[in-house]
């Protein structure tokens, strides 16, 4: 059969349906809906089991009540606040709950919005930093054409995209064995009068580490005293923003740190909602330039809108509100605490194997990474172990660390709600079995063309 066609299973094909469909051209004739369903369903059979995907941070399971609520709200357009005013009101409920969770000075007036994910939220945060800097520079009669943004070289790729798309110079503070995350000690040479802000990460995707926001802010305080540059901080809390408030309530990383201007998180990560939801909150109206807010006459209503996207689903916002009601602070603490306990159990088991050295242990967000012990073997690599685990159904990626540590290859496990203690024990048994098999090899495994960097 030609590679550009899909064979329709005869058991599923209805009378009059074609036996083949073209992959790349819209068909001339219509198809019975059940036949079309089976074609699409069968095409996805080779996708991995989402529950065993330990590479992704994104939620892969919600309960039956959430799924029913989701199906009830498929048709709601989040941008159409005139037609769906109660969905818009529920978005406001969530915004204020999150602002309160992050200790905004006045949660009821802190500017905020939902987004399609943390990437859009980061773009909005970066734009706000850039606009504030530009407005101040122009008011002072100074050049505003060369903005830069300072961040760790371990930032998520969305920050590279922001700098590329919005003409901001990225300044990457290198990570090292001594400083595996941005901690403030190396900031000074990267900050100047054109610095629009510093990004701190609450939950580095490579290792799960919390960058110390208070220490970063203290370093910026010292820079302001010495050189007069007042530089705000944005906290990219894509993962940690829905973990730290419940498990580490005394950790000062949020608006309790006065230099923090804005914070984002992913509702669809440890917010526990299906994919398609992010949140961003600004400290106050001074942190969000009015020039970023659009007021549009849409379907009969005047609506302020703050987003890169326009029409987008409203269902995930309802799911977030459902979870806030269903779990409360105690429930979130229990869910996230269970995930952290599973992560530390797994990291203890993997760290106990002679082949491995832990890079992190899952005691921040429920994420940890490890490397091969130097000199353990010349016959296999972590890429080989990743391939062996994939054959057993587990997706556990191997990848190099970011620039300046790229010679170090690690493997990482992301523990999400749904990875139970029983599954963790099964995974540990599988890892031990596959390591024993690889250690028994009498010669090196053949090498392919190499492995590209894993995109988080």
């Amino acid at each position: 059969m030609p590679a550009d066609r899909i064979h329709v299973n005869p058991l599923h094909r209805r009378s009059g349906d074609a036996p083949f469909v073209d992959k790349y051209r819209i068909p001339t004739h219509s198809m019975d809906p059940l036949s079309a369903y089976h074609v699409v369903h069968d095409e996805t059979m080779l996708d991995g089991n989402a529950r065993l995907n330990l590479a992704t941070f994104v939620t892969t399971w919600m309960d039956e009540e959430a799924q029913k609520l989701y199906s009830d709200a498929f048709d709601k357009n989040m941008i159409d606040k005139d037609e769906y005013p109660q969905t818009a009101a529920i978005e406001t409920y969530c915004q204020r709950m999150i602002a309160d969770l992050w200790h905004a000075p006045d949660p009821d007036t802190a500017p905020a919005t939902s987004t399609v994910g943390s990437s859009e939220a980061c773009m909005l945060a970066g734009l706000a930093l850039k606009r504030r800097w530009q407005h101040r520079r122009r008011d002072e009669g100074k050049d505003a054409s060369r903005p830069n943004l300072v961040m760790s070289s371990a930032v998520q790729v969305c920050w590279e995209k922001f700098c590329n798309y919005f003409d901001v110079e990225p300044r990457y503070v290198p990570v090292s064995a001594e400083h595996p995350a941005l901690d403030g000690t190396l900031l000074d040479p990267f900050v100047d009068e054109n610095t629009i802000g510093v990004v701190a990460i609450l939950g580095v995707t490579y290792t799960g580490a919390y960058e110390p926001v208070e220490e970063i802010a203290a370093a910026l305080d010292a820079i302001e005293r010495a050189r007069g540059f007042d530089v705000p901080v944005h906290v990219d809390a894509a993962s940690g923003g829905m973990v730290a408030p419940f498990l580490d309530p005394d950790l000062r990383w949020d608006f309790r740190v006065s230099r923090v201007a804005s914070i984002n998180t992913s509702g669809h990560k440890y917010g526990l909602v299906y994919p398609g939801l992010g949140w961003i909150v600004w400290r106050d109206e001074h942190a969000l330039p009015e020039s970023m807010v659009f007021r549009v006459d849409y379907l009969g209503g005047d609506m302020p809108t703050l987003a890169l996207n326009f029409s987008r689903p409203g269902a995930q916002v309802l799911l977030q509100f459902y979870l806030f009601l269903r779990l409360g602070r105690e429930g979130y603490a229990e869910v996230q605490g269970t995930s952290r306990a599973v992560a530390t159990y797994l990291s203890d088991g993997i760290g106990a194997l002679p082949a491995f050295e832990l890079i992190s242990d899952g005691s921040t967000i429920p994420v940890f990474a490890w490397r091969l012990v130097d000199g353990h073997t010349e016959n296999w690599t972590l890429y080989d172990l990743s391939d062996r685990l994939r054959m057993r159904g587990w997706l556990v990626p191997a990848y190099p660390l970011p620039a300046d540590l790229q010679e170090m290859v690690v493997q990482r496990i992301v523990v999400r709600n749904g990875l139970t203690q029983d599954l963790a024990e099964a995974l540990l048994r599988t890892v031990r079995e596959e390591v024993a098999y690889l250690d028994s090899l009498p010669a090196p495994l053949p090498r392919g063309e190499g492995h590209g960097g894993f995109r988080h």
Side-chain angles (χ1 to χ4, degrees):
M1 185 180 70
D4 61 352
R5 292 199 295 175
I6 299 171
H7 179 242
V8 182
N9 189 325
L11 287 175
H12 299 156
R13 194 168 67 239
R14 300 301 184 270
S15 177
D17 289 339
F20 300 95
V21 294
D22 197 313
K23 291 180 180 178
Y24 309 116
R25 300 291 184 272
I26 296 176
T28 301
H29 304 291
S30 58
M31 174 180 274
D32 182 273
L34 195 56
S35 301
Y37 165 81
H38 282 294
V39 169
V40 177
H41 181 269
D42 290 353
E43 277 292 289
T44 64
M45 285 179 62
L46 292 180
D47 280 348
N49 183 333
R51 290 283 292 277
L52 303 185
N53 180 0
L54 305 185
T56 183
F57 287 79
V58 176
T59 297
T60 56
W61 179 87
M62 294 189 76
D63 59 29
E64 291 182 8
E65 291 79 12
Q67 293 184 45
K68 185 178 187 306
L69 189 61
Y70 200 7
S71 65
D72 290 344
F74 284 148
D75 59 341
K76 293 185 186 293
N77 184 354
M78 193 65 249
I79 199 64
D80 189 356
K81 294 176 170 59
D82 189 56
E83 185 69 21
Y84 307 113
Q86 204 54 37
T87 297
I90 288 172
E91 180 189 30
T92 301
Y93 303 164
C94 292
Q95 290 168 1
R96 293 183 180 179
M97 288 177 175
I98 295 169
D100 177 65
L101 186 69
W102 294 340
H103 299 96
D106 183 355
D108 293 337
T109 62
T113 187
S114 65
T115 62
V116 294
S118 266
S119 291
E120 183 189 5
C122 290
M123 301 292 164
L124 293 172
L127 280 170
L129 293 175
K130 181 180 177 181
R131 291 279 180 90
R132 285 181 64 194
W133 174 83
Q134 286 176 323
H135 293 166
R136 186 177 72 249
R137 296 282 290 180
R138 288 167 183 158
D139 288 346
E140 295 171 351
K142 297 177 180 178
D143 177 63
S145 64
R146 294 182 297 141
N148 68 68
L149 181 67
V150 177
M151 56 200 136
S152 158
S153 59
V155 290
Q156 212 265 1
V157 69
C158 70
W159 289 105
E160 299 176 43
K161 291 181 178 180
F162 166 75
C163 291
N164 183 311
Y165 296 163
F166 295 103
D167 295 320
V168 173
E169 176 197 349
R171 292 190 173 179
Y172 298 113
V173 179
V175 294
S176 65
E178 295 76 24
H179 302 282
L182 185 67
D183 58 15
T185 57
L186 303 176
L187 269 181
D188 192 271
F190 292 88
V191 173
D192 61 23
E193 64 180 357
N194 294 318
T195 300
I196 64 174
V198 171
V199 176
I201 311 170
L202 197 75
V204 175
T205 54
Y206 290 91
T207 62
Y210 289 162
E211 293 185 338
V213 177
E214 272 200 307
E215 294 177 24
I216 293 168
L220 290 171
D221 290 343
I223 289 171
E224 183 176 11
R225 289 193 297 271
R227 296 192 282 152
F229 305 140
D230 182 10
V231 178
V233 172
H234 172 76
V235 180
D236 182 352
S239 299
M242 296 301 288
V243 175
F246 305 112
L247 299 187
D248 309 293
D250 295 329
L251 180 67
R252 295 173 63 86
W253 62 273
D254 52 18
F255 292 118
R256 288 172 290 182
V257 179
S258 61
R259 202 169 280 276
V260 172
S262 50
I263 303 170
N264 71 275
T265 198
S266 285
H268 62 221
K269 292 181 181 175
Y270 288 105
L272 308 179
V273 173
Y274 279 138
L277 182 65
W279 299 97
I280 179 168
V281 179
W282 284 269
R283 169 177 290 277
D284 51 38
E285 61 182 9
H286 301 295
L288 176 67
E290 175 63 24
S291 62
M292 287 180 60
V293 180
F294 281 78
R295 285 174 169 78
V296 295
D297 183 12
Y298 184 63
L299 297 182
D302 177 64
M303 295 179 302
T305 176
L306 174 63
L308 297 179
N309 291 279
F310 202 63
S311 292
R312 57 187 173 85
Q316 284 88 343
V317 170
L318 303 187
L319 293 178
Q320 186 75 85
F321 186 52
Y322 162 76
L323 283 169
F324 286 162
L325 298 180
R326 184 193 187 289
L327 294 175
R329 290 181 181 243
E330 290 181 354
Y332 263 98
E334 183 177 6
V335 170
Q336 314 300 36
T338 298
S339 293
R340 181 183 281 182
V342 170
T344 55
Y345 170 79
L346 279 170
S347 68
D348 286 346
I350 287 173
L353 294 174
F356 301 134
E357 176 186 346
L358 290 177
I359 302 298
S360 55
D361 63 3
S363 61
T364 50
I365 59 174
V367 174
F368 68 96
W370 68 92
R371 63 187 290 265
L372 264 176
V373 170
D374 290 338
H376 176 76
T377 182
E378 296 295 327
N379 290 347
W380 59 275
T381 69
L382 291 181
Y383 295 113
D384 299 316
L385 177 57
S386 180
D387 290 341
R388 296 290 303 180
L389 293 175
R390 185 185 291 266
M391 287 189 281
R392 302 281 294 271
W394 298 97
L395 182 57
V396 183
Y399 53 87
L401 288 178
D404 302 299
L405 281 177
Q406 66 267 31
E407 73 285 350
M408 185 186 299
V409 174
V410 301
Q411 271 188 286
R412 184 196 68 192
I413 284 177
V414 178
V415 177
R416 304 183 312 283
N417 179 43
L419 182 62
T420 63
Q421 187 75 18
D422 289 342
L423 283 173
E425 290 173 359
L427 172 59
L428 265 183
R429 285 195 300 271
T430 302
V431 170
R432 291 177 184 130
E433 290 167 5
E434 294 304 332
V435 169
Y437 165 77
L438 291 167
D439 276 344
S440 72
L441 296 173
L445 283 170
R447 297 282 169 251
E449 295 182 358
H451 297 262
F454 176 71
R455 283 296 186 184
H456 306 270

